[in-house]
Amino acid sequence: MSDLGSEELEEEGETDLGEYEGERNEAGERHGHGRARLPNGDTYEGSYEHGKRHGQGIYKFKNGARYTGEYVKNKKHGQGIFIYPDGSRYEGEWVDDLRQGHGVYYYVNNDTYTGEWFAHQRHGQGTYFYAETGSKYVGTWVNGQQEGAAEIIHLNHRYQGKFSNKNPMGPGKYVFDIGCEQHGEYRVTDAERVEEEEEEESVITAVPKWKAIKITELALWTPTLAEEPPPTDVPGQEETPAAEARGELGEEAQPPADLSDGEADFMRPGEEDADNFREEGEYGREEFRFDNIDQQGNVGFEEDDPRQSDPPD
């Protein structure tokens, strides 16, 4: 898994106290500021309260990982920074030893996620930036996966629609910087059968395909202004049509209902832009790829299975 926790990075509990130098209360408990070297080789320096890590502290794991932040009764709770053994790090809120609340995760491949977390997973509104391509996903996450309304922003175009189980699904549109929009929807038109060698079972994987419906001119948003009294006639002044002043199109300018093969090739997204964006976590990466539109205006969307190894907890 990519960033789902550090189950292998469990901190030593108060039952294995190890060596300690610092303040104590009348009952002999660690209380106040102190420094401890734990039996497993980890070290902690910071505040204690009644024998437990409580307040600001720095916990260093023997494998190179480090947590700097707030503790409540031996658990990471509040604001904190966790640097993982591979160099990735999380800066943000913690609740009962879990990433929860708002935080930023910096991955080893320079990708970043900024947004909401719940129970160690990306959950809520968040933005994932893909450093290799410059693309970013802005939208909703559920249990670590892209789910719900979102926007994929590329260098010279973007896709707006909904996602389901990490894949775009249903109506959406591509918005191009050259001044047009391609409307359509992602449909599950066929399926791929994947053979499982170990289990000797076949798995049918639904593959959403892009079906273009129409191409229109770019829809510009124009704010609604309060009506103003007509100006006093000035001799020699020529009135400018409001639509022309705002750059709007006249009623006679209708969007093209269909395109020739050559025009469709010109408008198709992703062929020269390498619309590949991926997500790599601590120990794996997730890759998404929008395939080129074919001659019928269809765009293929593929998802590569994440290549992951066991992460530290």
Side-chain angles (χ1 to χ4, degrees), residues 37 55 63 89 257:
R37 178 175 294 276
N63 62 1
R89 75 182 189 274

Side-chain angles (χ1 to χ4, degrees), residues 58 116 171 173 194 198:
I58 301 175
E116 297 176 300
K173 66 178 180 179
V194 180
E198 298 180 357

Side-chain angles (χ1 to χ4, degrees), residues 87-98:
S88 61
R89 75 182 189 274
Y90 170 81
E91 300 180 3
E93 297 178 280
W94 295 79
V95 175
D96 291 336
D97 268 345
L98 300 175

Side-chain angles (χ1 to χ4, degrees), residues 31-46:
H31 195 88
H33 188 272
R35 181 185 299 110
R37 178 175 294 276
L38 306 173
N40 65 352
D42 297 348
T43 62
Y44 172 78
E45 181 175 358

Side-chain angles (χ1 to χ4, degrees), residues 91-287:
E91 300 180 3
E93 297 178 280
W94 295 79
V95 175
D96 291 336
D97 268 345
L98 300 175
R99 294 188 295 270
Q100 188 161 311
H102 187 274
V104 182
Y105 201 106
Y106 300 88
Y107 297 86
V108 293
N109 66 339
N110 294 322
D111 289 0
T112 60
Y113 171 81
T114 305
E116 297 176 300
W117 296 78
F118 182 80
H120 253 353
Q121 294 183 321
R122 299 179 293 267
H123 190 92
Q125 291 295 314
T127 299
Y128 192 102
F129 174 74
Y130 300 86
E132 183 176 359
T133 62
S135 302
K136 59 182 177 180
Y137 172 96
V138 182
T140 308
W141 299 75
V142 176
N143 297 327
Q145 308 295 343
Q146 291 99 331
E147 188 84 21
E151 183 177 36
I152 300 289
I153 303 174
H154 301 289
L155 295 180
N156 62 358
H157 72 280
R158 63 188 63 199
Y159 173 77
Q160 299 172 345
K162 291 186 178 181
F163 280 68
S164 177
N165 192 26
K166 302 187 296 184
N167 294 328
M169 189 67 66
K173 66 178 180 179
Y174 284 92
V175 182
F176 298 90
D177 291 351
I178 59 176
C180 68
E181 300 178 350
Q182 184 185 71
H183 300 257
E185 65 177 316
Y186 276 96
R187 304 173 182 173
V188 179
T189 56
D190 54 8
E192 293 181 354
R193 184 174 295 275
V194 180
E195 297 292 339
E196 298 286 346
E197 295 181 358
E198 298 180 357
E199 301 179 0
E200 297 182 355
E201 295 180 357
S202 61
V203 178
I204 299 178
T205 304
V207 180
K209 299 289 185 180
W210 173 252
K211 178 64 176 178
I213 298 177
K214 63 179 179 178
I215 293 180
T216 65
E217 294 162 342
L218 190 63
L220 298 178
W221 177 78
T222 303
T224 302
L225 302 177
E227 295 184 1
E228 298 180 359
T232 305
D233 293 340
V234 178
Q237 182 176 3
E238 182 177 355
E239 182 179 358
T240 302
E244 182 179 347
R246 294 193 304 266
E248 296 178 349
L249 299 175
E251 297 181 357
E252 67 279 359
Q254 298 295 331
D258 197 0
L259 294 177
S260 64
D261 292 341
E263 291 172 328
D265 291 340
F266 176 76
M267 306 307 296
R268 61 187 178 185
E271 181 163 305
E272 298 179 358
D273 303 327
D275 293 342
N276 299 329
F277 52 94
R278 63 186 176 80
E279 168 182 342
E280 180 175 343
E282 296 167 25
Y283 300 95
R285 90 177 39 163
E286 302 173 52
E287 296 185 357

